[in-house]
């Protein structure tokens, strides 16, 4: 199993541009999450999904959108990039056993200039 | 909502023991996780507590007191590679199994 994979690893955007951060997991996990981590800080939840076709807002959803058309994929969309969205973005997934930990992808580093 | 506090930075000496504390306030506690995160990398799972008491895993142990809203991560026989950030995260009773993270404690291990 590859686990949780994210693309791209690094991206520079200009203000107002849009992009999609990709996240895929091959563990057949129902739960998937998007976090952002600013320098020296903890992780903040942007959006999450409890299964295909179901998404919900986390703590900091403004400026982002998500979709979950399949169990494997959970893309995060930035429509109008702003400097405040400069951050490291982590995708995570969790199986049905709530005793398990969330598995994290390697992260996408985004710089908005 | 939740409030999770942990020290911002700690320094310890190679071979020593260090304790990283985490306090939390939550309306429906359903487990506490500790993660290790090296600079530029993703968090990796260290431990999980849902009942009061101590969980031991090799050089790492984690303690939980639900009545006090308190946990600590204990690292023994510190090694240089233990220099990293340690994240405390609390899960609430909800449909999404969401985690709320503290700000992380940056541990520097010195020779």
């Amino acid at each position: 199993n590859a686990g949780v994979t994210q693309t791209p690893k690094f991206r520079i955007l200009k203000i107002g541009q849009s992009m999609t951060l990709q996240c895929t997991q091959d563990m057949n996990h129902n739960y998937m999450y998007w976090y952002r981590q600013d320098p020296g800080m903890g992780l903040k939840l942007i959006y999450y999904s409890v299964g295909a076709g179901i998404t919900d807002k986390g703590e900091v959803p403004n400026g982002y959108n998500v979709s979950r058309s399949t169990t494997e994929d959970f893309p995060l969309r930035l429509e109008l990039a702003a400097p405040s969205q400069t951050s490291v973005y982590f995708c995570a997934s969790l199986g049905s056993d709530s005793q398990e930990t969330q598995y994290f992808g390697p992260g996408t580093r985004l710089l908005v200039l | 909502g939740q409030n999770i506090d942990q020290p911002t930075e700690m320094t310890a000496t190679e071979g020593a023991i260090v304790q990283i504390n985490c306090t939390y306030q939550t309306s429906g506690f359903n487990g506490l996780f500790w993660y290790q995160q090296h600079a530029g990398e993703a968090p990796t799972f260290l431990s999980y507590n849902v009942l009061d008491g101590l969980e031991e895993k090799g050089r790492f142990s984690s303690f939980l007191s639900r009545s006090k809203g308190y946990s600590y991560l204990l690292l023994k026989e510190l090694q240089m590679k233990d220099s990293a950030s340690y994240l405390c995260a609390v899960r609430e009773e909800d449909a999404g199994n969401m985690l709320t993270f503290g700000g992380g404690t940056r541990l520097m291990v010195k020779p």
Side-chain angles (χ1 to χ4, degrees):
Chain A
N1 286 351
V4 181
T5 57
Q6 293 183 238
T7 56
K9 290 184 179 179
F10 176 67
R11 182 79 181 267
I12 299 175
L13 280 182
K14 293 182 179 179
I15 295 172
Q17 285 185 320
S18 61
M19 78 165 292
T20 300
L21 283 68
Q22 301 292 345
C23 175
T24 300
Q25 53 90 9
D26 62 359
M27 298 173 282
N28 202 31
H29 283 172
N30 287 325
Y31 300 92
M32 295 189 75
Y33 309 86
W34 273 106
Y35 296 92
R36 59 176 288 172
Q37 185 177 35
D38 297 331
M41 306 291 283
L43 281 72
K44 291 188 183 298
L45 184 66
I46 305 171
Y47 270 95
Y48 70 99
S49 169
V50 302
I54 306 169
T55 62
D56 212 339
K57 295 178 180 178
E59 183 183 359
V60 290
N62 291 343
Y64 307 94
N65 278 301
V66 293
S67 60
R68 185 91 183 273
S69 56
T70 66
T71 299
E72 294 78 19
D73 300 307
F74 191 41
L76 178 72
R77 179 83 178 161
L78 283 71
E79 291 294 348
L80 290 170
S84 61
Q85 294 178 304
T86 293
S87 191
V88 180
Y89 292 84
F90 290 103
C91 178
S93 72
L94 174 71
S96 300
D97 182 356
S98 64
Q99 304 295 313
E100 285 188 71
T101 178
Q102 293 184 11
Y103 293 88
F104 286 86
T108 294
R109 189 174 299 271
L110 178 65
L111 181 60
V112 181
L113 300 174
Chain B
Q2 302 189 46
N3 189 30
I4 302 172
D5 290 312
Q6 49 181 132
T8 305
E9 285 188 356
M10 299 182 72
T11 303
T13 305
E14 191 176 15
I17 300 173
V18 71
Q19 178 175 312
I20 302 174
N21 296 325
C22 172
T23 58
Y24 64 89
Q25 294 173 316
T26 181
S27 53
F29 179 83
N30 192 26
L32 187 143
F33 294 78
W34 283 97
Y35 291 86
Q36 179 189 61
Q37 186 178 27
H38 284 101
E41 298 182 8
T44 56
F45 170 73
L46 288 178
S47 69
Y48 168 66
N49 295 72
V50 66
L51 300 176
D52 291 351
L54 190 68
E55 294 282 340
E56 296 187 81
K57 272 188 178 183
R59 294 191 298 115
F60 291 41
S61 303
S62 58
F63 171 83
L64 175 67
S65 169
R66 288 172 296 171
S67 62
K68 295 182 180 178
Y70 169 68
S71 173
Y72 67 72
L73 181 69
L74 193 70
L75 291 74
K76 303 176 186 176
E77 302 169 14
L78 280 173
Q79 302 175 9
M80 298 299 291
K81 67 178 182 179
D82 296 330
S83 292
S85 288
Y86 291 86
L87 306 175
C88 172
V90 173
R91 184 170 62 199
E92 276 191 328
E93 292 175 334
D94 59 48
N97 282 312
M98 293 180 288
L99 295 178
T100 301
F101 285 81
T105 299
R106 188 185 308 174
L107 174 65
M108 289 177 282
V109 180
K110 295 186 175 180

